[in-house]
């Protein structure tokens, strides 16, 4: 490892020039608000309705005269959307984070997904952007403002924008009439949003989508040969359902000859002898099987009881979504949508879960219902492990990361390949209902992977868990946290502290999801070893507990594939029902203990999350540096 490790310098303020430079940079990616699929447009004037565009969801970040384009999973696609990035950089704003859709319009003015696919490969000048939300503007976090206010500000900054950037208008009420008109015109559908809703980076029920035709992503797991001059007759499709990749039928229409040739070139290196799914032999006779690496957008009329598609048509390849994130999408009844606190029945609310503080299961559920909007942007759509204590923390508790179906539909499953190649269904949640269902099943703690389901092979954070030996007071941990902040800052990484609710502190460095797990683990291991070697009196990277006496263990193992770390706002199964909580470096100078916040502090935690001091917590536009 090159570069010397700086000595600890204790708490210090950032230099003014550093702060100014950071304020001028484009804002970092933040999780997107997602829409839930429903069977009809919600009624009433508390909903506003927009066109559903047929393109790629893109987050445009603007600052300091430059701009970046992020995909829904946080990948930097600025090069692919170079025209949009150039147009955004010319906006008359100091700094902004704009949510919208990148599209290509056909001659009738309709967004066309296949045309977008071709534009990305050779005609980027034809790509346009329809903006429908504004998350940040000139240093102000707007996510806590009502949607109508955010859109008003968005319209203003786009008034004199490039012809590539458009404001996505809306109507209030009359959503069913709008949907009928859109469907008649051959458009995709309607997005309905709560007019007074805040922006929450998860699928919280505040945004709904109603489609004119059924369509979603499927994994391509093989192809059948053609009897004519075409290179293949059909693609064999699959989708994750209940944590398992399942056969979903074949698609043989919607391809042009150029697309067939392009797909064959992509599929050839992925061929394998064994099928990735179980399929009826008669339907896949002569099939060429593939490793499940490609994702395609498919339109269809309905899905049969056997789980296969009727009248499917190929629309294009999805490069912004990984196969692990392709799950079966089902419509919810609009009339059945209710707040999670009422739709999930919590049984035995009076059962005492924390005997030393007499906190009950009902109180724990109320805490999670309250903090769901600030917790799900971190926990949502992330493979997780839970600490379940069905009879309370004083009785038997256990970790769980897989499920045989006992959690129901709101707790989702994603199939992830294990070391031996077979898939296991990992659990994740992306709605308040899913979170509350876990609590109903006895969950106290939520721990998450360092990657999201959109790309489980790319880490989106580094976590250094500073775990003190018995007898060390919090002052030692505090000093260690500042030392790690300075070390990571010296190699170009901005960090954020989090109280774990246990004994220590997590020092977290967010990452653009680019580095793979072996690189992330190697980086974390070498850094931890270097710190321990430079200051052996205070730090150790040794795993055996006997070697940690009187020192702080730098737990770097959170940074490997499959490892988890406690998530922000998770309760802990410990005395007093403490919770993990984000804090600022300024607060770290005086905070009393890592269990400072507890269940019952939900109002304070929600207020803190909306504060200016914490508005940018956990977000930074940075990649793993070379060491």
């Amino acid at each position: 490892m090159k570069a010397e490790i700086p000595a600890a310098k204790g708490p210090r303020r950032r230099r003014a020039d550093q702060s100014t430079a950071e304020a001028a940079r484009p804002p970092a990616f933040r999780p997107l608000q997602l829409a839930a699929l429903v069977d009809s447009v919600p009624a009433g004037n508390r909903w506003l309705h927009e066109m559903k565009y047929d393109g790629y969801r893109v987050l445009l970040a603007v600052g300091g005269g430059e701009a970046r384009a992020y995909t829904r999973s946080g990948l930097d696609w600025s090069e692919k959307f170079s025209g949009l990035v150039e147009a955004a950089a010319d906006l008359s704003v100091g700094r902004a984070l704009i949510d919208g859709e990148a599209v290509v319009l056909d001659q009738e003015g309709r967004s066309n997904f296949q045309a977008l696919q071709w534009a990305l490969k050779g005609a980027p000048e034809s790509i346009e952007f329809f903006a429908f939300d504004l998350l940040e503007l000139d240093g102000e976090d707007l996510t806590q403002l009502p949607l109508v206010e955010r859109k008003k500000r968005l319209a203003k900054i786009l008034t004199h924008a490039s012809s590539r950037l458009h404001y996505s208008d809306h109507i209030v009420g009359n959503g069913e009439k709008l949907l009928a008109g859109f469907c008649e015109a051959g458009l995709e559908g309607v997005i309905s949003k709560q007019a007074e809703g805040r922006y929450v980076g998860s699928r919280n029920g505040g945004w709904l989508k109603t489609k004119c035709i059924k369509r979603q992503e499927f994994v391509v797991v093989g192809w059948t040969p053609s009897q004519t001059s075409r290179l293949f007759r059909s693609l064999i499709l699959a989708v994750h359902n209940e944590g398992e990749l399942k056969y979903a039928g074949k698609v043989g229409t919607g391809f042009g000859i150029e697309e067939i040739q392009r797909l064959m070139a992509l599929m050839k290196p992925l061929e394998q002898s064994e099928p990735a799914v179980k399929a009826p032999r008669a339907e896949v006779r002569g099939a060429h099987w593939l490793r499940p690496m490609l994702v395609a957008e498919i339109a269809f009329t309905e899905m049969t009881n056997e789980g296969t598609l009727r009248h499917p048509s190929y629309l294009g390849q999805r490069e912004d979504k990984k196969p692990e994130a392709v799950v079966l999408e089902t419509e919810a009844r609009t009339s059945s949508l209710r707040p999670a606190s009422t739709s999930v029945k919590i049984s035995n609310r009076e059962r005492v879960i924390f005997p030393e503080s007499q906190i009950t299961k009902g109180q724990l559920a109320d805490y999670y219902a309250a903090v769901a909007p600030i917790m799900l942007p971190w926990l949502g759509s992330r493979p997780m492990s839970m600490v379940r204590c069905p009879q309370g923390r004083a009785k038997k508790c256990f970790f769980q990361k897989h499920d045989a179906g006992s959690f129901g539909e709101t707790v989702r499953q994603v199939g992830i390949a294990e070391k031996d190649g077979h898939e296991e269904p990992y659990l994740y949640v992306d709605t308040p209902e899913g979170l509350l269902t876990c609590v109903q099943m006895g969950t106290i703690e939520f721990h998450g992977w360092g990657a999201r389901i959109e790309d489980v092979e790319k880490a989106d954070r580094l976590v250094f868990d500073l775990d003190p030996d018995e007898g060390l007071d919090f002052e030692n941990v505090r000093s260690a946290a500042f030392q790690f902040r300075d070390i990571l800052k010296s190699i170009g990484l901005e960090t954020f502290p989090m109280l774990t609710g246990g004994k220590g502190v997590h020092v977290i460095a967010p990452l653009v999801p680019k580095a793979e797990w072996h690189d992330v683990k190697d980086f974390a291991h070498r850094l931890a070893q270097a710190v321990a070697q430079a200051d052996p009196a205070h730090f150790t990277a040794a795993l055996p507990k006997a070697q940690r006496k009187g020192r702080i263990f730098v737990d770097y193992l959170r940074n490997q594939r499959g490892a988890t770390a406690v998530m922000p706002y998770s309760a802990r199964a410990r005395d007093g029902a403490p919770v993990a909580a984000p804090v600022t470096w300024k607060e770290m100078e005086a905070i009393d203990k890592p269990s400072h916040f507890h269940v019952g502090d939900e109002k304070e935690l929600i207020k803190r999350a909306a504060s200016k001091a914490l508005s940018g917590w956990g977000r930074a536009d940075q990649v793993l540096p070379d060491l």
Side-chain angles (χ1 to χ4, degrees):
M1 179 174 183
K2 63 184 180 181
E4 295 182 2
I5 301 299
K9 293 187 172 78
R12 69 182 184 192
R13 296 182 182 273
R14 283 189 193 154
R15 295 194 308 269
D17 58 336
Q18 287 180 308
S19 180
T20 302
E22 288 170 8
R25 294 198 313 231
F29 171 82
R30 61 194 298 167
L32 301 177
Q33 179 146 354
L34 303 175
L37 180 64
V38 292
D39 61 352
S40 61
V41 181
N45 288 341
R46 70 187 188 93
W47 294 90
L48 59 80
H49 310 283
E50 302 169 347
M51 180 185 295
K52 188 179 189 305
Y53 298 100
D54 193 6
Y56 275 177
R57 185 80 172 271
V58 170
L59 200 60
L60 284 180
V62 184
E66 59 177 306
R68 293 190 178 88
Y70 294 106
T71 68
R72 59 188 294 155
S73 60
L75 293 176
D76 188 336
W77 274 21
S78 300
E79 188 174 340
K80 293 189 178 186
F81 292 117
S82 57
L84 300 183
V85 167
E86 289 174 11
D90 288 336
L91 285 173
S92 298
V93 296
R95 208 161 179 257
L97 193 60
I98 306 170
D99 193 359
E101 192 99 354
V103 303
V104 170
L105 301 178
D106 63 18
Q107 292 181 343
E108 284 76 39
R110 297 173 299 198
S111 53
N112 185 298
F113 184 72
Q114 286 181 316
L116 175 62
Q117 293 291 304
W118 286 108
L120 286 169
K121 294 170 178 64
E125 67 280 354
S126 63
I127 301 175
E128 302 180 42
F129 182 75
F130 282 84
F132 45 67
D133 215 324
L134 182 62
L135 283 61
E136 295 183 31
L137 181 62
D138 295 334
E140 182 183 359
D141 185 347
L142 307 183
T143 58
Q144 299 304 304
L145 295 178
L147 172 60
V148 288
E149 177 61 29
R150 300 197 305 270
K151 292 202 69 173
K152 188 183 299 182
R153 299 195 189 189
L154 175 63
K156 187 175 181 179
I157 69 171
L158 292 176
T159 300
H160 302 292
S162 160
S163 59
R164 288 174 178 266
L165 307 180
H166 309 278
Y167 172 70
S168 179
D169 214 338
H170 62 269
I171 66 168
V172 177
N174 295 310
E176 281 291 355
K177 184 178 179 181
L178 184 67
L179 178 66
F182 282 175
C183 294
E184 187 177 345
L187 300 172
E188 191 182 349
V190 166
I191 297 287
S192 305
K193 303 175 180 178
Q194 291 177 344
E196 298 297 318
R198 277 55 175 164
Y199 192 99
V200 178
S202 67
R203 204 183 307 273
N204 74 334
W207 290 12
L208 306 175
K209 57 185 175 183
T210 315
K211 296 183 179 181
C212 294
I213 60 170
K214 298 180 187 296
R215 55 183 289 175
Q216 75 156 78
E217 302 91 357
F218 290 87
V219 182
V220 180
V221 294
W223 56 274
T224 59
S226 173
Q227 303 301 317
T228 66
S229 59
R230 291 198 339 166
L231 296 173
F232 63 77
R233 182 178 182 182
S234 61
L235 300 179
I236 302 171
L237 305 174
V239 65
H240 285 100
N241 190 15
E242 297 178 348
E244 182 182 350
L245 196 60
K246 296 183 178 179
Y247 176 68
K250 299 178 294 182
V251 59
T253 61
F255 309 101
I257 186 61
E258 289 185 20
E259 183 66 358
I260 288 174
Q261 292 172 341
R262 192 184 72 83
L263 285 171
M264 284 300 299
L266 290 172
M267 292 190 294
K268 190 172 183 180
L270 301 178
E271 289 203 19
Q272 62 180 21
S273 58
E274 294 298 318
V277 295
K278 294 179 182 178
R281 189 172 300 176
E283 293 187 26
V284 295
R285 188 171 288 114
H288 293 247
W289 297 106
L290 306 173
R291 285 185 288 131
M293 302 291 288
L294 299 178
V295 176
E297 180 94 1
I298 308 294
F300 57 98
T301 55
E302 63 178 339
M303 185 167 274
T304 68
N305 292 334
E306 290 74 34
T308 58
L309 304 178
R310 286 178 57 83
H311 307 299
S313 179
Y314 174 85
L315 297 177
Q317 183 193 357
R318 296 295 303 225
E319 297 180 65
D320 63 334
K321 202 162 189 179
K322 299 296 180 180
E324 296 88 356
V326 176
V327 296
L328 186 63
E329 199 172 34
T330 56
E331 293 179 336
R333 294 180 60 186
T334 306
S335 58
S336 68
L337 294 175
R338 294 180 294 165
S341 56
T342 57
S343 63
V344 178
K345 180 176 173 54
I346 304 296
S347 62
N348 302 312
R349 286 185 59 89
E350 302 307 315
R351 174 182 291 159
V352 174
I353 299 297
F354 296 88
E356 68 289 332
S357 52
Q358 292 297 295
I359 291 176
T360 65
K361 181 180 180 183
Q363 290 172 305
L364 181 65
D366 292 344
Y367 166 79
Y368 276 118
V371 301
I374 60 174
M375 183 175 181
L376 282 172
W378 306 109
L379 173 68
S381 298
R382 193 178 292 274
M384 67 180 187
S385 296
M386 300 172 291
V387 174
R388 291 180 62 194
C389 308
Q391 301 302 316
R393 64 166 296 272
K395 302 293 179 67
K396 182 181 178 181
C397 296
F398 56 92
F399 264 99
Q400 182 170 352
K401 60 183 178 180
H402 304 304
D403 176 40
S406 59
F407 282 81
E409 294 182 356
T410 60
V411 180
R412 302 177 183 273
Q413 301 175 39
V414 57
I416 298 178
E418 301 285 25
K419 289 181 180 178
D420 61 4
H422 84 284
E423 280 195 354
E424 283 287 347
Y426 281 74
L427 297 171
Y428 74 95
V429 295
D430 60 3
T431 63
E433 291 82 2
L435 190 66
L436 267 293
T437 298
C438 294
V439 178
Q440 160 59 15
M441 297 293 286
T443 301
I444 293 180
E445 298 187 10
F446 293 87
H447 298 243
W449 275 42
R452 294 166 60 89
I453 64 167
E454 288 91 351
D455 193 347
V456 297
E457 303 304 335
K458 303 286 196 317
D460 68 351
R461 65 181 184 184
L462 274 167
V463 177
F464 290 97
D465 181 4
L466 305 182
D467 187 9
D469 187 35
E470 296 292 339
L472 290 179
D473 61 24
F474 188 61
E475 189 56 42
N476 294 93
V477 181
R478 187 200 324 279
S479 177
F482 278 105
Q483 183 167 347
F484 255 83
R485 180 199 67 174
D486 292 345
I487 292 169
L488 290 164
K489 187 70 176 178
S490 73
I491 55 176
L493 288 176
E494 184 178 1
T495 57
F496 303 87
M498 185 182 78
L499 306 177
T500 64
K503 296 188 301 178
V505 167
H506 285 178
V507 177
I508 301 169
L511 299 173
V512 173
K514 185 177 180 181
E516 302 207 0
W517 284 114
H518 59 85
D519 294 322
V520 174
K521 182 184 177 182
D522 180 62
F523 175 93
H525 186 196
R526 287 188 292 129
L527 185 65
Q529 285 184 317
V531 171
Q533 290 168 6
D535 190 359
H538 296 104
F539 294 101
T540 178
L543 296 179
K545 287 193 174 182
Q547 298 181 34
R548 303 182 193 177
K549 189 170 181 62
R551 293 181 288 180
I552 290 175
F553 173 52
V554 182
D555 187 351
Y556 61 89
L557 294 173
R558 309 286 179 182
N559 304 292
Q560 61 183 338
R561 189 180 191 273
T564 60
V566 67
M567 300 307 296
Y569 306 110
S570 171
R572 306 304 304 270
R574 296 171 178 266
D575 284 357
V579 301
V583 294
T584 67
W585 283 115
K586 179 63 177 174
E587 289 176 315
M588 272 296 295
E589 295 177 12
I591 204 83
D592 56 344
K593 55 186 176 181
S595 55
H596 179 87
F597 297 98
H598 59 84
V599 171
D601 286 338
E602 64 268 27
K603 289 183 180 178
E604 182 181 355
L605 291 168
I606 293 169
K607 183 178 179 181
R608 285 171 50 80
S611 69
K612 187 173 182 179
L614 284 174
S615 63
W617 187 93
R619 296 193 299 275
D621 179 20
Q622 56 193 14
V623 295
L624 199 69
D626 294 325
L627 286 182

